[in-house]
Amino acid sequence: QSVLTQPPSASGTPGQRVTISCSGSSSNIGSNTVNWYQQLPGTAPKLLIYSNNQRPSGVPDRFSGSKSGTSASLAISGLQSEDEADYYCAAWDDSLNAVVFGGGTKLTVL
Amino acid sequence: EVQLVESGGGLVQPGRSLRLSCAASGFTFDDYAMHWVRQAPGKGLEWVSGISWNSGSIGYADSVKGRFTISRDNAKNSLYLQMNSLRAEDTALYYCAKDRLPRLRGAAGFDYWGQGTLVTVSS
């Protein structure tokens, strides 16, 4: 049981916009920034979004993040086949004094 | 080019110990916090432990607290994880990851990851 809650799966067709939600609490998302990671099959995770809505250099602007209260979302616009991957949200938790991850969302491009 | 190379994984019996290492290059190692994140076969990511730039702040997941010890040697650009009293549920791919900032609290995002080292705990 993960501290942050994500839907286990999401899907979309090429060109569509999809969103992935991440729900937490006041001790994590409610008081700290959210980061998102993309893990392509058989590879190490990659930082996709940091500080709620910032993209590292090289990440396409098709990827965007937002946060409101104790929830956050990752949006992917202009969906491409290469976006098929697992996506994880993460945040610091002040009560646990630990980084907490969501359970991950498997994105399928139909 | 930033590189993180983990080593030390392998097959170990329950109750035994193992020490993981992570060799870092391509960046100023002592400017950043570092972390260990693991992924059990077919499962999601789990943060294991983190350490601030100067080892002044250290944190552990409840699942490993009291059994695992993180450390770093800034002179050798290396991160370590001493794992004692290993259990079957510790079986996972262990990743070394670099934080974007020096501090531990807040964990600003892990911008570089190694390829991982596999730890299998089984009799």
Side-chain angles (χ1 to χ4, degrees), chain A residues 40-57:
Chain A
L40 297 169
T43 70
K46 168 189 170 184
L47 182 63
L48 203 60
I49 297 287
Y50 67 93
S51 297
N52 303 327
N53 55 18
Q54 301 299 301
R55 283 186 308 277
S57 174

mmCIF file of all heavy atoms in Angstrom, chain A residues 40-57:
data_model
loop_
_atom_site.group_PDB
_atom_site.id
_atom_site.type_symbol
_atom_site.label_atom_id
_atom_site.label_comp_id
_atom_site.label_asym_id
_atom_site.label_seq_id
_atom_site.Cartn_x
_atom_site.Cartn_y
_atom_site.Cartn_z
ATOM 1 N N LEU A 40 10.664 3.665 -18.703
ATOM 2 C CA LEU A 40 10.434 2.866 -19.903
ATOM 3 C C LEU A 40 10.765 1.414 -19.595
ATOM 4 O O LEU A 40 11.586 1.139 -18.706
ATOM 5 C CB LEU A 40 11.285 3.388 -21.055
ATOM 6 C CG LEU A 40 10.975 4.824 -21.498
ATOM 7 C CD1 LEU A 40 12.041 5.320 -22.457
ATOM 8 C CD2 LEU A 40 9.601 4.920 -22.124
ATOM 9 N N PRO A 41 10.163 0.474 -20.305
ATOM 10 C CA PRO A 41 10.403 -0.952 -20.019
ATOM 11 C C PRO A 41 11.878 -1.313 -20.013
ATOM 12 O O PRO A 41 12.621 -0.976 -20.949
ATOM 13 C CB PRO A 41 9.662 -1.651 -21.171
ATOM 14 C CG PRO A 41 8.586 -0.697 -21.558
ATOM 15 C CD PRO A 41 9.177 0.672 -21.386
ATOM 16 N N GLY A 42 12.313 -1.949 -18.932
ATOM 17 C CA GLY A 42 13.683 -2.436 -18.837
ATOM 18 C C GLY A 42 14.744 -1.388 -18.609
ATOM 19 O O GLY A 42 15.938 -1.676 -18.736
ATOM 20 N N THR A 43 14.328 -0.172 -18.248
ATOM 21 C CA THR A 43 15.309 0.895 -18.038
ATOM 22 C C THR A 43 15.151 1.515 -16.654
ATOM 23 O O THR A 43 14.165 1.298 -15.970
ATOM 24 C CB THR A 43 15.180 1.995 -19.091
ATOM 25 O OG1 THR A 43 13.960 2.715 -18.863
ATOM 26 C CG2 THR A 43 15.186 1.427 -20.505
ATOM 27 N N ALA A 44 16.151 2.316 -16.269
ATOM 28 C CA ALA A 44 16.083 3.037 -15.006
ATOM 29 C C ALA A 44 15.088 4.187 -15.123
ATOM 30 O O ALA A 44 14.836 4.702 -16.221
ATOM 31 C CB ALA A 44 17.466 3.584 -14.650
ATOM 32 N N PRO A 45 14.509 4.598 -14.006
ATOM 33 C CA PRO A 45 13.593 5.747 -14.047
ATOM 34 C C PRO A 45 14.304 7.014 -14.506
ATOM 35 O O PRO A 45 15.528 7.143 -14.386
ATOM 36 C CB PRO A 45 13.141 5.879 -12.581
ATOM 37 C CG PRO A 45 13.372 4.538 -11.989
ATOM 38 C CD PRO A 45 14.604 4.010 -12.671
ATOM 39 N N LYS A 46 13.503 7.935 -15.023
ATOM 40 C CA LYS A 46 14.007 9.224 -15.515
ATOM 41 C C LYS A 46 13.148 10.325 -14.903
ATOM 42 O O LYS A 46 11.913 10.211 -14.850
ATOM 43 C CB LYS A 46 13.899 9.267 -17.036
ATOM 44 C CG LYS A 46 14.116 10.615 -17.668
ATOM 45 C CD LYS A 46 13.774 10.570 -19.155
ATOM 46 C CE LYS A 46 13.744 11.955 -19.778
ATOM 47 N NZ LYS A 46 13.327 11.909 -21.198
ATOM 48 N N LEU A 47 13.798 11.391 -14.417
ATOM 49 C CA LEU A 47 13.055 12.522 -13.862
ATOM 50 C C LEU A 47 12.333 13.250 -14.981
ATOM 51 O O LEU A 47 12.967 13.716 -15.930
ATOM 52 C CB LEU A 47 14.014 13.473 -13.130
ATOM 53 C CG LEU A 47 13.380 14.683 -12.461
ATOM 54 C CD1 LEU A 47 12.422 14.271 -11.345
ATOM 55 C CD2 LEU A 47 14.468 15.620 -11.910
ATOM 56 N N LEU A 48 11.029 13.384 -14.839
ATOM 57 C CA LEU A 48 10.202 13.990 -15.879
ATOM 58 C C LEU A 48 9.748 15.404 -15.492
ATOM 59 O O LEU A 48 9.747 16.315 -16.319
ATOM 60 C CB LEU A 48 8.967 13.101 -16.092
ATOM 61 C CG LEU A 48 8.221 13.172 -17.399
ATOM 62 C CD1 LEU A 48 9.107 12.795 -18.564
ATOM 63 C CD2 LEU A 48 7.007 12.238 -17.331
ATOM 64 N N ILE A 49 9.344 15.549 -14.236
ATOM 65 C CA ILE A 49 8.874 16.815 -13.701
ATOM 66 C C ILE A 49 9.405 16.949 -12.275
ATOM 67 O O ILE A 49 9.351 15.986 -11.502
ATOM 68 C CB ILE A 49 7.328 16.888 -13.647
ATOM 69 C CG1 ILE A 49 6.719 16.816 -15.044
ATOM 70 C CG2 ILE A 49 6.864 18.148 -12.903
ATOM 71 C CD1 ILE A 49 6.896 18.081 -15.889
ATOM 72 N N TYR A 50 9.924 18.124 -11.919
ATOM 73 C CA TYR A 50 10.318 18.374 -10.538
ATOM 74 C C TYR A 50 9.661 19.652 -10.034
ATOM 75 O O TYR A 50 9.179 20.467 -10.827
ATOM 76 C CB TYR A 50 11.843 18.433 -10.394
ATOM 77 C CG TYR A 50 12.502 19.604 -11.085
ATOM 78 C CD1 TYR A 50 12.748 20.794 -10.394
ATOM 79 C CD2 TYR A 50 12.900 19.528 -12.420
ATOM 80 C CE1 TYR A 50 13.348 21.870 -11.021
ATOM 81 C CE2 TYR A 50 13.497 20.606 -13.054
ATOM 82 C CZ TYR A 50 13.721 21.772 -12.349
ATOM 83 O OH TYR A 50 14.323 22.843 -12.978
ATOM 84 N N SER A 51 9.644 19.809 -8.732
ATOM 85 C CA SER A 51 9.032 20.996 -8.120
ATOM 86 C C SER A 51 7.649 21.277 -8.690
ATOM 87 O O SER A 51 7.337 22.416 -9.065
ATOM 88 C CB SER A 51 9.943 22.222 -8.311
ATOM 89 O OG SER A 51 11.170 22.032 -7.645
ATOM 90 N N ASN A 52 6.839 20.276 -8.761
ATOM 91 C CA ASN A 52 5.422 20.330 -9.206
ATOM 92 C C ASN A 52 5.235 20.494 -10.703
ATOM 93 O O ASN A 52 4.368 19.826 -11.287
ATOM 94 C CB ASN A 52 4.662 21.468 -8.500
ATOM 95 C CG ASN A 52 4.700 21.369 -6.997
ATOM 96 O OD1 ASN A 52 4.721 20.262 -6.446
ATOM 97 N ND2 ASN A 52 4.724 22.514 -6.334
ATOM 98 N N ASN A 53 6.011 21.396 -11.320
ATOM 99 C CA ASN A 53 5.691 21.737 -12.708
ATOM 100 C C ASN A 53 6.900 22.139 -13.557
ATOM 101 O O ASN A 53 6.732 22.728 -14.620
ATOM 102 C CB ASN A 53 4.671 22.879 -12.728
ATOM 103 C CG ASN A 53 5.143 24.089 -11.936
ATOM 104 O OD1 ASN A 53 6.324 24.226 -11.648
ATOM 105 N ND2 ASN A 53 4.216 24.955 -11.573
ATOM 106 N N GLN A 54 8.090 21.813 -13.091
ATOM 107 C CA GLN A 54 9.301 22.172 -13.822
ATOM 108 C C GLN A 54 9.832 20.978 -14.619
ATOM 109 O O GLN A 54 9.897 19.863 -14.110
ATOM 110 C CB GLN A 54 10.371 22.664 -12.839
ATOM 111 C CG GLN A 54 9.936 23.864 -12.013
ATOM 112 C CD GLN A 54 9.625 25.057 -12.887
ATOM 113 O OE1 GLN A 54 10.456 25.541 -13.642
ATOM 114 N NE2 GLN A 54 8.386 25.546 -12.790
ATOM 115 N N ARG A 55 10.211 21.248 -15.850
ATOM 116 C CA ARG A 55 10.760 20.193 -16.704
ATOM 117 C C ARG A 55 12.275 20.278 -16.756
ATOM 118 O O ARG A 55 12.831 21.344 -17.047
ATOM 119 C CB ARG A 55 10.210 20.313 -18.135
ATOM 120 C CG ARG A 55 8.804 19.822 -18.341
ATOM 121 C CD ARG A 55 8.453 19.868 -19.846
ATOM 122 N NE ARG A 55 8.727 21.171 -20.422
ATOM 123 C CZ ARG A 55 7.908 22.203 -20.356
ATOM 124 N NH1 ARG A 55 6.744 22.058 -19.734
ATOM 125 N NH2 ARG A 55 8.235 23.354 -20.907
ATOM 126 N N PRO A 56 12.966 19.165 -16.504
ATOM 127 C CA PRO A 56 14.423 19.150 -16.703
ATOM 128 C C PRO A 56 14.736 19.381 -18.173
ATOM 129 O O PRO A 56 13.895 19.146 -19.053
ATOM 130 C CB PRO A 56 14.832 17.732 -16.281
ATOM 131 C CG PRO A 56 13.710 17.238 -15.441
ATOM 132 C CD PRO A 56 12.479 17.891 -15.988
ATOM 133 N N SER A 57 15.930 19.834 -18.418
ATOM 134 C CA SER A 57 16.374 20.040 -19.791
ATOM 135 C C SER A 57 16.221 18.749 -20.598
ATOM 136 O O SER A 57 16.589 17.666 -20.139
ATOM 137 C CB SER A 57 17.841 20.476 -19.776
ATOM 138 O OG SER A 57 18.363 20.548 -21.070
#
